[in-house]
Amino acid sequence: MGNDLISAAGLIHIIEESRQTALKKVNEELIKMYWKIGEFLSKETEHASYGDAYIR
């Protein structure tokens, strides 16, 4: 029975580690997306005048 608990703990560790890695990757992609959106909006504002509706 003791080995079963050790095996289960090892599996839980592997699963948790993989979940954490996946969350980091998702966050990395979200940050890249927000950066690109900000860059796009920044470039758009260079060609806009005050009051222009460039975001619809």
Side-chain angles (χ1 to χ4, degrees), residues 32-47 54-56:
K32 287 179 185 177
M33 179 189 70
Y34 293 136
W35 184 270
K36 289 177 183 178
I37 289 171
E39 183 178 40
F40 173 81
L41 293 175
S42 179
K43 287 180 181 177
E44 287 292 311
T45 59
E46 291 175 2
H47 306 292
Y54 64 92
I55 300 176
R56 296 174 191 176

Side-chain angles (χ1 to χ4, degrees), residues 1-3 7-8 12-13 17 23 25-28 32 37-39 42 44-45 49 53:
M1 169 124 356
N3 286 340
S7 295
I12 291 169
H13 176 73
E17 193 174 69
L23 287 173
K25 293 290 184 184
V26 169
N27 285 337
E28 183 181 319
K32 287 179 185 177
I37 289 171
E39 183 178 40
S42 179
E44 287 292 311
T45 59
S49 298

